[in-house]
Amino acid sequence: MQKIALDAMGADNGVAPVIDGLRAALNHKEFKTFLVGDESEIKKHLESLSIKSLKNVEIVPTSDYIKMSEHASAANKRSESSIFKAIALVKNGDADACVSAGHSGATMSLATLQVGRIKGVSRPAICTCMPTITANPSIILDAGANTDCKPEYLYEFAIMGYHYAKSVLKYATPRVGILANGEEDSKGNELTKAVFKMLKDSDILGASFKGNVEGNDIFNGSVDVVVCDGFMGNLVLKASEGVAAAINSILKSEIKKSLLNMIGYSLAKPAFKALKAKIDYAEYGGAPLLGIKKPVIISHGKSNARAMECAIYQALNALDSNICDIIAKAFENKA
Amino acid sequence: MQKIALDAMGADNGVAPVIDGLRAALNHKEFKTFLVGDESEIKKHLESLSIKSLKNVEIVPTSDYIKMSEHASAANKRSESSIFKAIALVKNGDADACVSAGHSGATMSLATLQVGRIKGVSRPAICTCMPTITANPSIILDAGANTDCKPEYLYEFAIMGYHYAKSVLKYATPRVGILANGEEDSKGNELTKAVFKMLKDSDILGASFKGNVEGNDIFNGSVDVVVCDGFMGNLVLKASEGVAAAINSILKSEIKKSLLNMIGYSLAKPAFKALKAKIDYAEYGGAPLLGIKKPVIISHGKSNARAMECAIYQALNALDSNICDIIAKAFENKA
């Protein structure tokens, strides 16, 4: 049975969404969980649900956790913190994968320092799923782990993203593009032009390398894996969330202006619900930190129970697909 | 009377939207136009509208234009091209401002080489209006003129954007932010951290400098001027268009799935129309190229008549507000 170390602490809404997400996941899949966190808080929430214990769940009590306002650099000294203990379980082989909605910087730092990078990987990358107009989401990496990147980092992100799309998302022939300011081969900034040349020259992705793609290609289904540095990835993610929120806000205020609009909206509600589900981050779970020796899933601090449930599925899928070993093998051949 | 050099050529849909936009603008404002382009094409379109001539419009015949597929570097040698002649009219003082929906690289190149940069401006920047959830749009610069930037360029973009927001958009106290991967002062990549320090140390914007802003802040009304390099600006613009298009596409396909949805949608149509108008690029016209001695407005190649009409208003507003002189004065003080 697969074993997940689940950090119960540090998320915006406390232990409740973590535990509720875990319960939902346990209804669908069989796995063992180390639930790492403040025992009294965990038990309090279980009591409020009139539950004594959860099947295959072992509570690992901790007295500390890294707050969102703290610096990630502190994490490696905080051996009593929930994320330190969750990562240690993976490091020691007690657990196979880790999921956390706590301080993402702390998780990344501990994953890198304690579990370690796959040999040949310069920097782990956050890999985030994005909705597209097709049935298949695209992935973008790095979505924020590495602010300033060298070309070789992005080259490695492309390889890791390709294998994630192929092995975990089960895309037969993932199409990989470099995020740039135009589709032509000549486009790009200094960084992306160097990455383009490296990918072109090495031919490591073969026909899967689609060259440069633009911001809109993330959503139109023309590419599966979008490669960029963590600064750009963050900008694009936040801007995308901002556009969706603005459209929602403008539409709602316009709808309120007339009764007919309101009636129409309520009739068409199923379509809006379907749209919402399609672009809801919760359905995509968390973001795997690719390049670490074991699966580490970083969830949004504001994750609800559904997002935590999906993040757990991501960890299980990562284990089922053996993605870490596949990436390790790809980098073995590369070196 | 203000005099506009209007490039009739090179747009995706030929001379029609340019001429139709000009006609609409002439119904609302009094100004003189040099309509630069292929005389027979212009006359053919006017004939199709049963119009002999337009008031205050002088056709400047040309035999050449820069195609979208050509390199911008060719522009400076193509003295018979429409954009070369339009820019020359501004250079010679026959026209006060230029508007073009043709090859934007050629327009930028000729504006810089022929009309010239304002003293103290290292690089001109494309300044694009973005819709927000408030009544006031934000502006983002550079939206694509300069792919790789030095910190001083962005420092200058901040000053130019501030004055554009204040003098042209009439915002009393424009709030200026640097686009970054977090709001904290410590966030940013190497480039934006250097810009942050320059703006903070110089105190040139005083309380108007709001530090770092994130991708979603472009749309939520928390900032008026968003500063970034042209590569990021392009990514964010394209990603934003992509999200809006994807939402539209997903919603439409969901609505088609049931009759009730369709009825609801058609009842609520006024709200959707209002949303569309608010996020329609056409309402924002073109993008001024800030840092050039005279107003130069770069319009999207796919501009429709409304977009061209609004781009002409932008040129007139830029002249009314004296923005080029205001920027020149700001850089005089800076030097």
Side-chain angles (χ1 to χ4, degrees), chain A residues 148 189-190 214 238 254 264 274, chain B residues 148 190 214 238 254 264 274:
Chain A
D148 290 290
N189 63 10
E190 280 171 21
E214 298 188 82
K238 296 271 175 69
E254 289 299 332
Chain B
D148 289 291
E190 281 172 21
E214 298 188 83
K238 296 268 174 71
E254 289 300 332

Side-chain angles (χ1 to χ4, degrees), chain A residues 90-157:
Chain A
V90 178
K91 183 189 181 181
N92 303 335
D94 295 322
D96 304 308
C98 176
V99 175
S100 174
H103 194 300
S104 60
T107 309
M108 282 189 275
S109 162
L110 285 167
T112 310
L113 292 168
Q114 301 286 335
V115 182
R117 278 177 282 127
I118 289 168
K119 203 179 161 187
V121 173
S122 308
R123 294 285 185 284
I126 296 178
C127 174
T128 297
C129 267
M130 303 291 271
T132 72
I133 57 169
T134 74
N136 292 335
S138 61
I139 55 174
I140 183 165
L141 75 168
D142 175 23
N146 310 282
T147 304
D148 290 290
C149 286
K150 293 180 181 171
E152 51 265 39
Y153 302 173
L154 271 74
Y155 174 81
E156 294 168 10
F157 300 165

Side-chain angles (χ1 to χ4, degrees), chain B residues 1-179:
Chain B
M1 197 157 39
Q2 292 166 338
K3 290 161 285 178
I4 308 288
L6 178 59
D7 180 7
M9 309 300 289
D12 296 355
N13 298 311
V15 299
V18 180
I19 295 171
D20 296 346
L22 172 59
R23 287 175 60 220
L26 285 167
N27 286 336
H28 292 93
K29 300 260 184 183
E30 186 145 300
F31 58 96
K32 154 105 188 164
T33 305
F34 296 98
L35 186 60
V36 190
D38 183 305
E39 197 171 11
S40 69
E41 280 195 43
I42 294 169
K43 290 208 162 152
K44 210 166 84 183
H45 184 66
L46 289 176
E47 272 164 29
S48 78
L49 302 164
S50 311
I51 293 170
K52 274 231 162 128
S53 68
L54 291 164
K55 195 188 153 196
N56 291 329
V57 175
E58 180 182 322
I59 297 173
V60 179
T62 59
S63 55
D64 185 24
Y65 75 94
I66 316 285
K67 285 175 200 70
M68 291 292 187
S69 57
E70 295 185 83
H71 265 280
S73 55
N76 207 33
K77 289 172 206 147
R78 299 271 283 276
S79 58
E80 288 306 308
S81 70
S82 60
I83 184 61
F84 192 105
K85 285 201 169 181
I87 288 286
L89 285 166
V90 178
K91 182 190 183 182
N92 303 336
D94 294 322
D96 304 308
C98 176
V99 175
S100 175
H103 193 302
S104 60
T107 308
M108 282 189 274
S109 162
L110 286 167
T112 309
L113 292 168
Q114 301 285 336
V115 183
R117 279 178 281 127
I118 289 168
K119 202 180 162 187
V121 173
S122 307
R123 293 285 185 283
I126 295 178
C127 174
T128 298
C129 267
M130 302 290 272
T132 74
I133 58 169
T134 74
N136 292 334
S138 62
I139 54 175
I140 184 164
L141 74 168
D142 173 23
N146 309 281
T147 304
D148 289 291
C149 285
K150 294 181 180 170
E152 52 265 37
Y153 303 172
L154 271 73
Y155 175 82
E156 295 167 9
F157 299 165
I159 298 169
M160 295 196 289
Y162 170 83
H163 286 291
Y164 189 83
K166 196 172 173 75
S167 303
V168 181
L169 302 180
K170 312 286 183 203
Y171 295 172
T173 51
R175 297 155 302 167
V176 181
I178 303 169
L179 192 58

